[in-house]
Amino acid sequence: MSTFLLEIVTPERLIYSGDVTSIIAKSVEGDMGVLPGHVATVAPLQIGALTVQHDGKRSHIAVHGGFLEVRRDKVVVLAESAELPESIDLERARAARERAELRIESSKMHQDEVDFRRAEYALKRAMTRIDVSGTDVVNK
């Protein structure tokens, strides 16, 4: 089966590099699938799980914004931050979700749009971490 190189990079480090058979990313326009031979493109990403098909199994990586660049034989995800399932502290993510939910409720009562957006962003990040932490581990 055909593969392509997937690299997930943050400002701090290389998170993942390996040959994959397909990926599904959450772009701002909706879910975007990439197979070998995909046309070259660049797409902005939203917060969500990046689904990776490799070695006959499916894994997920938490990606928190950034861009996806499809090249001829390579896909590069330039993420604001990204986390492999094994690096996610599930209890910390759950606590962050609870804090964000409380901030959302509080900002609704005080009609604070900026705080609401920040809390909504924090909630999406926490929910993505929780979702990804319960999935298969990606081999580095």
Side-chain angles (χ1 to χ4, degrees):
M1 183 173 274
S2 288
T3 63
F4 57 90
L5 178 62
L6 171 64
E7 290 183 345
I8 301 173
V9 183
T10 68
E12 290 81 33
R13 66 186 179 96
L14 176 67
I15 300 294
Y16 178 85
S17 180
D19 289 326
V20 302
T21 54
S22 71
I23 63 169
I24 300 172
K26 299 221 178 273
S27 80
V28 296
E29 298 292 324
D31 287 354
M32 176 181 175
V34 178
L35 297 169
H38 193 285
V39 66
T41 190
V42 174
L45 298 175
Q46 60 178 313
I47 298 169
L50 179 77
T51 303
V52 179
Q53 184 79 30
H54 59 97
D55 301 326
K57 60 184 175 180
R58 187 174 298 218
S59 303
H60 303 277
I61 301 169
V63 174
H64 307 292
F67 292 88
L68 175 132
E69 178 185 11
V70 180
R71 301 179 190 169
R72 183 178 168 170
D73 295 324
K74 180 179 184 179
V75 172
V76 179
V77 174
L78 302 168
E80 293 172 20
S81 68
E83 298 166 285
L84 297 172
E86 66 268 19
S87 67
I88 294 172
D89 181 339
L90 186 55
E91 291 308 312
R92 185 172 171 224
R94 287 180 177 147
R97 177 186 63 193
E98 290 175 18
R99 284 191 310 273
E101 288 170 342
L102 290 173
R103 283 178 41 211
I104 286 172
E105 287 304 313
S106 175
S107 64
K108 283 180 183 176
M109 290 189 306
H110 297 107
Q111 298 179 354
D112 185 347
E113 185 69 23
V114 172
D115 193 45
F116 178 80
R117 294 288 174 218
R118 287 182 184 157
E120 189 176 55
Y121 181 76
L123 180 60
K124 286 180 184 177
R125 288 175 60 111
M127 293 301 297
T128 297
R129 286 182 178 119
I130 291 167
D131 290 345
V132 167
S133 68
T135 61
D136 295 331
V137 175
V138 174
N139 297 323
K140 291 183 188 178

